[in-house]
Amino acid sequence: MPAKMQDVARRAGVSTATVSRVLNSPELVSADAYRRVMDAIRDLDYKVNLAARRLRTNQTHTIAIVIPTISEPVIHEIVEAVEDVAITHQYTLLVCSTRGDTAREEAYIQLLTQQTLVDGVLYVSPRSAPEQVLKLAHGNAPLVLCNYTIDGLNTPSVLVDHVRSIYQATRYLLELGHHRIALLNLAAPHYYPARMRRKGFEKAYVDAGLMPDPALIVELVQPTYAHDDWRDAITGLLDQPDRPTAIVAFNDNVALEVYAACRARGLRIPDDLSVTGCDNILSSRYVDPPLTTVRVPSADAGRLAMRYLIRLITDENAVIPPITLFDVDLIVRESCAPPP
Amino acid sequence: MPAKMQDVARRAGVSTATVSRVLNSPELVSADAYRRVMDAIRDLDYKVNLAARRLRTNQTHTIAIVIPTISEPVIHEIVEAVEDVAITHQYTLLVCSTRGDTAREEAYIQLLTQQTLVDGVLYVSPRSAPEQVLKLAHGNAPLVLCNYTIDGLNTPSVLVDHVRSIYQATRYLLELGHHRIALLNLAAPHYYPARMRRKGFEKAYVDAGLMPDPALIVELVQPTYAHDDWRDAITGLLDQPDRPTAIVAFNDNVALEVYAACRARGLRIPDDLSVTGCDNILSSRYVDPPLTTVRVPSADAGRLAMRYLIRLITDENAVIPPITLFDVDLIVRESCAPPP
DNA sequence: CGGTTTAATGTAATCGATTACATTATGTAT
DNA sequence: ATACATAATGTAATCGATTACATTAAACCG
């Protein structure tokens, strides 16, 4: 049976109130009592019962981060950044990955609305319908969205500029002289970042005085994280009679799948096909040829989102900008060339 | 002010005991009372206060997973597997990443020994000294080690066979005719998996009737996750006058750094240098040439470790094998050839 | 020196659930 | 009809901290 505050108080010859003060506001306690209490704590190896503290204070010092999967480079970059901020503010992190499974996502949302489980929720790139997320927004714990936003909701969102990332890649290819560029936007069309990326793609064409070919925009009705789906989509593009001369992949992993497909078909990058990625993951530098991609400051977005969340938790009437947008940069490497 | 059980009881015309029974053991409640309580819960949008429940029951339904970093492929594979098991058993997951920072690791250990924060701890690949981990082992919450073990501690460990992974890669290279094989074991020598990998490397040599050259075993005194350290180590190996003919990298990411270093120097893989990795990460298949590596069932290890942990939590006198070892397979691709 | 502020501590109510035990009603066996 | 088992519910203690309020002692001031 572990020691409780009562025991510490008895051993130190003080009341539990004093012990509690030593722990939470030591400036109210005399040096003498402080020392005696600390000694008693050490001697008895006393540990606070956090459930009791939470019940009394109504604070958990825990936040939940809801993510689609931990295996995506962008996502775990965000999780790490968020954890760093959390730890410096003495918060712990509950990780809830939905895996694109709506039932699982709803179960988590259900859980997170319970009392005194978490003080706040950080929602990263949800796949589920906005109505679900709204449930959380109307719960008791503050909510901040990251890498995502829901139109007409006054919950703060912190985003990287999904429009400009694909815009920059597409414009670069157009400037190289490509006209038949395909967009591998392998997510659901209603998914916010997918919508924005498509917008960036189309805008680049329009700004160049051209029109994109809708047949070259590939999206998935039922998105999964299985690479097989990706492969099928890529096969569809590469094996058609009038093959595109360039491919804008919606992230680096998809671009790498394109690399593999090209190798299998004897197509050379960039001579036969130009390819761009997005996110600047580690291996984008190592592949041959090094991948032209876009640097997105996801970690920065995560950090800021977490800081906003903590502000909302600790300050009842904190004012947070509804949308914060981080800019992105094109990183030119060697995977693009003028069309053959 | 959110509704509490009292309010539900009043509205349903029953006592709080009955409400609690509806939630926790509905078989004790009459159909009529059940319906009335459920209606009241819905009407008032009642949510359990988990802090109160935890205080009373002394159970948190939360487990902590302590990991070095979330960004390593093996680690997040384990985290995902663990989360899947957790969710099916109604547990939530607290993620604690130490980033190889001893102070941070100790802070987390300190935190995790508090009462009613978590029901158990899963410790994955710790970097810190065993004494630290021992503190947890002697705490109140059950502990299971994953990808690691501490000699002479009776805490259950679930491991992949680190000896055999490097053994197989090394033997394969020896059979191809290599004699000057380097081991890039870029971790601290006292780190358990590093010790085992070194053992596997040496055993392969001994089994072939040869002796490894200690000068070709590279380890780090102060390991970090910075790729610069890796690059320095690789430069040291490749630029020495009597270059090794093959490199066994301790994981795939290190192997990819070797690829980059070779490209920079105009060395061809596998003609000029053979390379093997370990872990079979996604991009190992995409690089050119595809990387010969070792498949390690990390997810299986994570799942089993979590199941063991839950058994320990729920069954006071569960008996768990002290060490469980998962076997590994060499995956031969195209990054190795006979020495030039 | 009386009065007032300040510092240090104690007393006890409180947070919101769970559950041992008591109570009542109902059915069943003898 | 009596005794007894069973089902359904209620009463109230309990988990272990925090903190408003009360109390006491010491310090300070004109």
Side-chain angles (χ1 to χ4, degrees):
Chain A
M1 205 58 50
K4 47 185 174 175
M5 196 169 268
Q6 193 79 239
D7 305 323
V8 174
R10 192 167 17 240
R11 180 173 246 263
V14 297
S15 71
T16 59
T18 300
V19 177
S20 179
R21 285 188 197 106
V22 166
L23 263 35
N24 300 306
S25 31
E27 71 279 7
L28 296 180
V29 176
S30 70
D32 181 55
Y34 181 86
R35 198 179 33 67
R36 292 208 321 276
V37 167
M38 288 308 258
D39 287 351
I41 287 177
R42 187 164 344 96
D43 294 349
L44 298 174
D45 191 32
Y46 168 74
K47 312 281 182 188
V48 192
N49 184 312
L50 291 174
R53 174 179 286 175
R54 285 179 178 193
L55 174 58
R56 189 54 232 252
T57 63
N58 212 26
Q59 293 197 358
T60 63
H61 270 267
T62 301
I63 76 115
I65 183 166
V66 186
I67 54 178
T69 169
I70 220 168
S71 300
E72 288 208 340
V74 173
I75 304 295
H76 61 240
E77 207 176 312
I78 293 177
V79 174
E80 286 217 322
V82 166
E83 194 198 356
D84 289 348
V85 177
I87 211 172
T88 63
H89 290 78
Q90 319 262 48
Y91 278 80
T92 53
L93 196 63
L94 215 57
V95 171
C96 310
S97 82
T98 63
R99 305 289 198 86
D101 174 347
T102 317
R104 183 157 159 173
E105 184 157 2
E106 284 184 36
Y108 266 130
I109 289 178
Q110 189 64 29
L111 182 71
L112 293 176
T113 52
Q114 312 259 275
Q115 299 292 310
T116 48
L117 179 65
V118 295
D119 289 344
V121 178
L122 202 65
Y123 218 115
V124 182
S125 299
R127 257 50 169 176
S128 74
E131 304 85 59
Q132 291 305 319
V133 183
L134 281 172
K135 279 194 203 157
L136 270 179
H138 295 127
N140 35 301
L143 173 67
V144 171
L145 304 179
C146 186
N147 231 358
Y148 186 73
T149 192
I150 297 177
D151 305 321
L153 182 64
N154 65 347
T155 301
S157 309
V158 181
L159 303 159
V160 297
D161 196 334
H162 295 291
V163 177
R164 271 183 54 79
S165 59
I166 293 305
Y167 176 84
Q168 290 191 29
T170 310
R171 192 181 59 182
Y172 172 65
L173 289 168
L174 287 168
E175 285 170 358
L176 283 176
H178 292 272
H179 290 94
R180 289 187 51 71
I181 307 173
L183 174 63
L184 274 174
N185 205 12
L186 301 188
H190 67 77
Y191 175 51
Y192 176 85
R195 283 204 329 270
M196 294 304 110
R197 290 185 193 122
R198 181 179 182 135
K199 212 160 148 184
F201 183 74
E202 292 170 342
K203 185 171 188 307
Y205 261 92
V206 170
D207 284 4
L210 300 168
M211 281 296 288
D213 179 355
L216 291 181
I217 299 182
V218 183
E219 291 178 334
L220 297 177
V221 179
Q222 185 57 49
T224 66
Y225 287 92
H227 280 223
D228 291 343
D229 292 357
W230 296 2
R231 240 163 266 152
D232 293 347
I234 293 166
T235 302
L237 271 181
L238 294 185
D239 295 348
Q240 68 187 43
D242 192 9
R243 201 176 57 219
T245 61
I247 291 186
V248 174
F250 90 121
N251 71 28
D252 288 348
N253 277 329
V254 170
L256 295 190
E257 281 287 355
V258 174
Y259 271 52
C262 285
R263 195 171 323 126
R265 286 166 178 73
L267 289 172
R268 287 162 310 155
I269 300 172
D271 313 281
D272 300 323
L273 186 77
S274 291
V275 180
T276 65
C278 186
D279 296 346
N280 187 30
I281 68 173
L282 200 58
S283 40
S284 67
R285 230 170 317 162
Y286 299 138
V287 288
D288 190 15
L291 179 66
T292 290
T293 185
V294 183
R295 180 187 302 119
V296 295
S298 311
D300 293 338
R303 262 187 293 272
L304 187 62
M306 183 61 187
R307 281 204 211 95
Y308 282 166
L309 185 57
I310 291 178
R311 283 245 285 281
L312 283 170
I313 291 169
T314 51
D315 179 4
E316 190 76 338
N317 35 23
V319 180
I320 306 289
I323 291 198
T324 311
L325 214 59
F326 278 87
D327 201 6
V328 300
D329 313 296
L330 185 69
I331 301 177
V332 175
R333 296 205 185 99
E334 299 158 36
S335 63
C336 299
Chain B
M1 204 57 50
K4 47 184 174 175
M5 198 169 266
Q6 194 77 241
D7 305 324
V8 174
R10 193 167 17 240
R11 180 174 246 262
V14 297
S15 72
T16 60
T18 301
V19 177
S20 179
R21 285 188 197 105
V22 166
L23 263 34
N24 301 304
S25 32
E27 71 279 6
L28 297 179
V29 176
S30 71
D32 181 55
Y34 181 86
R35 198 179 34 67
R36 293 209 318 278
V37 168
M38 288 308 258
D39 287 351
I41 287 176
R42 187 164 344 97
D43 294 349
L44 298 174
D45 191 31
Y46 167 74
K47 312 280 182 188
V48 192
N49 183 312
L50 291 174
R53 174 179 286 174
R54 285 178 178 194
L55 174 59
R56 191 53 233 250
T57 63
N58 212 26
Q59 293 196 359
T60 63
H61 270 267
T62 301
I63 74 116
I65 183 167
V66 185
I67 55 179
T69 169
I70 220 168
S71 300
E72 287 209 341
V74 173
I75 303 295
H76 62 241
E77 208 176 311
I78 293 177
V79 174
E80 286 217 320
V82 165
E83 193 198 357
D84 289 348
V85 177
I87 210 172
T88 63
H89 289 79
Q90 318 262 49
Y91 279 80
T92 53
L93 196 62
L94 215 57
V95 171
C96 310
S97 82
T98 63
R99 306 288 199 86
D101 174 347
T102 317
R104 183 157 159 173
E105 184 157 3
E106 283 183 36
Y108 265 131
I109 289 178
Q110 190 63 29
L111 182 71
L112 294 176
T113 52
Q114 312 259 276
Q115 299 293 310
T116 47
L117 179 65
V118 295
D119 289 343
V121 178
L122 202 65
Y123 218 115
V124 182
S125 299
R127 259 46 169 179
S128 74
E131 304 84 59
Q132 292 305 318
V133 182
L134 281 172
K135 279 194 203 156
L136 270 179
H138 295 127
N140 36 300
L143 173 67
V144 171
L145 305 179
C146 186
N147 233 357
Y148 186 73
T149 192
I150 297 177
D151 305 321
L153 182 65
N154 65 347
T155 301
S157 310
V158 181
L159 304 159
V160 297
D161 195 333
H162 295 291
V163 178
R164 269 182 57 78
S165 58
I166 293 305
Y167 177 85
Q168 290 190 30
T170 311
R171 193 181 59 182
Y172 173 65
L173 289 169
L174 287 168
E175 285 170 0
L176 282 176
H178 291 272
H179 289 93
R180 289 187 52 71
I181 308 173
L183 174 63
L184 274 175
N185 204 12
L186 301 188
H190 68 77
Y191 177 49
Y192 176 86
R195 285 205 328 270
M196 294 303 110
R197 291 187 193 120
R198 182 180 181 135
K199 211 160 148 183
F201 182 73
E202 293 171 342
K203 186 172 188 305
Y205 261 92
V206 170
D207 283 4
L210 300 167
M211 281 296 288
D213 179 354
L216 292 181
I217 300 182
V218 183
E219 291 179 333
L220 297 178
V221 180
Q222 185 57 50
T224 66
Y225 286 92
H227 280 225
D228 292 343
D229 292 357
W230 296 2
R231 239 164 266 152
D232 293 347
I234 293 166
T235 301
L237 270 181
L238 293 185
D239 294 348
Q240 68 188 42
D242 191 10
R243 201 175 56 218
T245 60
I247 291 186
V248 174
F250 91 121
N251 71 28
D252 287 349
N253 276 330
V254 170
L256 294 190
E257 281 287 355
V258 174
Y259 271 52
C262 285
R263 196 172 322 126
R265 287 165 179 72
L267 290 173
R268 287 163 311 155
I269 300 173
D271 314 281
D272 300 322
L273 186 76
S274 292
V275 180
T276 65
C278 186
D279 295 347
N280 188 30
I281 68 173
L282 200 58
S283 40
S284 67
R285 230 171 317 164
Y286 298 138
V287 288
D288 190 14
L291 179 66
T292 290
T293 186
V294 183
R295 180 188 302 119
V296 294
S298 310
D300 293 338
R303 264 187 291 273
L304 187 62
M306 183 61 186
R307 282 206 209 94
Y308 282 165
L309 184 57
I310 291 178
R311 282 245 286 281
L312 284 170
I313 291 168
T314 51
D315 180 3
E316 189 75 340
N317 35 24
V319 180
I320 307 289
I323 291 199
T324 311
L325 214 59
F326 278 87
D327 201 5
V328 299
D329 313 295
L330 185 70
I331 301 178
V332 175
R333 296 206 184 100
E334 298 159 36
S335 64
C336 300

